[in-house]
Every structure is written in C-alpha cells, then in structure tokens.
Amino acid sequence: MAQDLKWKAKANRPESADQSQYHIRCRPGDVEKYVLLPGDPERVGQMAQLWDEKKHIATYREHVTYTGKVGGVGISACSTGAGGPSTASALEELAEVGAETFLRVGTCGAMQEDIAPGDLIICAGAVRYDGTSDQYVDQKFPAIANQEVVMATIEAAERLGVTYHVGIGYTAASFFCGQGRPGYNNYNQSWMHTIMDDMQRAGVLNFEMEAATVLTLSSLFNLRAGAIFTAVANRVKDEFEYKGEGVEQSIAVATEAIKILSHWDQLKKESGKPYFYPSLLKQQTKIEGGSVL
C-alpha cells in the first residue's frame, strides 16, 4: 500500500476517518483477536500458508498483515520489524482495532550450552533491556508472559513432538553490542564482556529483541501475550546455523497454540470462569459423557 499523501488526522493517536491505523494501516474488523507477531514481513505469508482461509490486509513499512481462519478459529499475523519501537507501534495499533491475544514468533541466540540451533524456546518472561518498555513503566515492573499463553504453547509443542525449552529470555535493544557482540571495527565497552556470563548464571536462556516489549505492554493494557523462538545460534559454542525446519516448527506450534487458546477461552465462557485451569478439561469430558459435574 503506497503512502497516502493526503493523510490527515489528530496528532495524539493518528488514524484516518475510517479508523485505519497509521503504522499498520488496518481498520476495525481487519484483525482477529488472536494475532501472531513475527519480525520478518516475509514470514507472515509463510504463516498464512498453514491456515484454511487467508486474506492479505495491508502492507506498509515493515508491517505486513494477513487475516484468516485455521480450524475454525479466526487468526491474524502482523510483522513488527526488528526491535522494540516498531513492535510497540504495531501492538498498540493492533489492540486499537480488536486484537486481544499476542504470540510473538521469532528467532534468537541461545546462551545455554544444551540448546541447539533449531530447538524452540518458549518464553515465560524476559529481562527488560529492550529500551522501549522503559518508556511505558518503571524498570522494576516485570515482563511476564501470560500463563495461559505459556501453557497453550507448551501443549502445542507436546502435540507436535518438537524439542523445546521453557524459561526466561533477555530482550536487547541491539543485535551487536547489546548482546555482547563487538560492534563495527571491534568496538566494545567493558560491560559488554560480562552480559552473557551474568545471564547464563541467572539461568537466562536466550538473546532476542522484542519479547520484553510485547509482554510488558500486554500486561499494562490488560491483554494476553507470550513468545516462542527458534534458536539459530548457540552463543556459548559460537555456532550460528539458520535451520528452516526449526522456523517452520515454531510457526506450526504457534498456530496450534492459538487453536488451543480458542478452545480454552470457550471453556471459560461456558463455565463462567475468568481463568483457564486443567480441571476445566475434565469437566468438559464429564459433560460430553453425560455425567454430572
């Protein structure tokens, strides 16, 4: 979609007369309540290939958006680009037009020796060095994934039989120096040499650049969010290997997790419960079998 040179709106939260959002160019009704968030715009189309129905909604800047259905569940995907600022803009505007649950799907570098390139990492929380979330709330506020999204993603990984790890990640604002790599011409500062060792000792699993933004903003806005990553590097062994099948697995797991969340949300609605818990599945089985709860 080309830039509209006649765009005119209020400066506080820019949107057009039909409520199209400035960065993602989506309107109410364009986006389902369950949204996948890849960084790479090309990965959105790859995600949509798994759906039963798909429709291209918009392409503007780094944001490509598709909407469709998978297993009868409405689903959307919108690319965020790399890093916190563009991710925050996309999440804000997606929420504005109806998104409620976000699952970040990306790649990362592992910092624990037992995580191999191609393994999946399910993010339970993130160390907040993304920079962007600091503009929203005090630094001591945690970046925590929603428990239902984490559980659904674990369930999806188990169903698909993939190798996965669960834990805390580190969201950096820089691919190079912010992740303990040297900058151009071997530029470095003393603190860069200790980042990975310190985080390893704390049990942190990986480096990436968006999760803390997604998790923090979702918590602040009373939305749900989680993240899943494919490891493309092991920083301990200084190995980098981009495995396409690992990326495909993360997309498949994320898609399955959305279907699981939709099922659980329906169970909560039928039971009048605000949160999912495993016994709801047992209650459903009793109802379907004709038993009394």
Side-chain angles (χ1 to χ4, degrees):
M1 181 184 296
Q3 183 172 355
D4 183 357
L5 298 179
K6 296 182 180 179
W7 185 280
K8 186 177 181 180
K10 293 182 179 180
N12 198 36
R13 291 192 73 88
E15 62 181 28
S16 68
D18 65 357
Q19 295 183 273
S20 290
Q21 301 299 299
Y22 180 66
H23 294 93
I24 63 173
R25 300 299 165 103
C26 296
R27 301 171 295 180
D30 285 341
V31 172
E32 297 288 349
K33 64 181 183 178
Y34 304 102
V35 182
L36 303 180
L37 297 176
D40 184 353
E42 293 187 4
R43 207 166 288 155
V44 177
Q46 185 180 359
M47 292 175 167
Q49 291 301 316
L50 295 181
W51 305 347
D52 304 316
E53 303 174 22
K54 61 180 181 293
K55 179 183 179 182
H56 173 252
I57 301 297
T59 295
Y60 186 65
R61 299 186 179 186
E62 61 267 61
H63 307 297
V64 175
T65 305
Y66 275 71
T67 285
K69 289 188 180 296
V70 60
V73 179
I75 187 171
S76 296
C78 176
S79 55
T80 64
S86 61
T87 298
S89 298
L91 190 147
E92 287 248 19
E93 294 181 358
L94 288 163
E96 197 73 50
V97 297
E100 298 176 3
T101 297
F102 299 96
L103 185 50
R104 166 88 180 118
V105 188
T107 55
C108 71
M111 64 174 83
Q112 298 294 335
E113 192 168 4
D114 65 328
I115 303 176
D119 286 3
L120 305 187
I121 297 176
I122 297 170
C123 180
V127 181
R128 284 178 50 205
Y129 275 91
D130 59 309
T132 300
S133 63
D134 291 346
Q135 302 291 298
Y136 284 81
V137 70
D138 186 89
Q139 290 181 350
K140 291 183 175 59
F141 187 90
I144 300 175
N146 177 271
Q147 61 180 356
E148 293 177 353
V149 179
V150 172
M151 287 192 295
T153 309
I154 292 172
E155 175 67 25
E158 285 288 339
R159 289 184 185 183
L160 297 180
V162 301
T163 301
Y164 69 95
H165 311 262
V166 183
I168 303 298
Y170 181 109
T171 304
S174 161
F175 182 82
F176 291 100
C177 293
Q179 298 183 32
R181 294 183 173 100
Y184 170 69
N185 203 25
N186 204 35
Y187 171 81
N188 68 90
Q189 296 271 303
S190 59
W191 57 267
M192 298 173 192
H193 301 294
T194 64
I195 294 173
M196 194 167 73
D197 287 345
D198 291 344
M199 292 300 103
Q200 279 180 305
R201 294 188 185 101
V204 176
L205 301 186
N206 63 296
F207 283 118
E208 51 77 45
M209 296 177 64
E210 293 83 22
T213 302
V214 172
L215 302 183
T216 303
L217 269 60
S218 294
S219 292
L220 296 175
F221 300 156
N222 197 29
L223 304 168
R224 292 188 305 189
I228 182 170
F229 302 100
T230 303
V232 297
N234 185 293
R235 295 290 304 280
V236 182
K237 300 178 179 179
D238 197 21
E239 297 175 345
F240 188 98
E241 185 178 1
Y242 189 99
K243 291 188 175 183
E245 62 268 28
V247 173
E248 292 171 359
Q249 286 179 344
S250 68
I251 292 172
V253 169
T255 303
E256 185 69 16
I258 294 302
K259 292 192 288 185
I260 292 167
L261 281 167
S262 176
H263 177 212
W264 291 355
D265 288 345
Q266 184 61 35
L267 286 180
K268 291 189 297 182
K269 182 178 179 180
E270 293 171 356
S271 304
K273 301 293 184 181
Y275 306 107
F276 172 80
Y277 51 94
S279 296
L280 284 179
L281 296 172
K282 295 181 180 180
Q283 293 178 15
Q284 180 194 32
T285 301
K286 289 180 180 180
I287 292 172
E288 292 175 349
S291 301
V292 178
L293 297 181

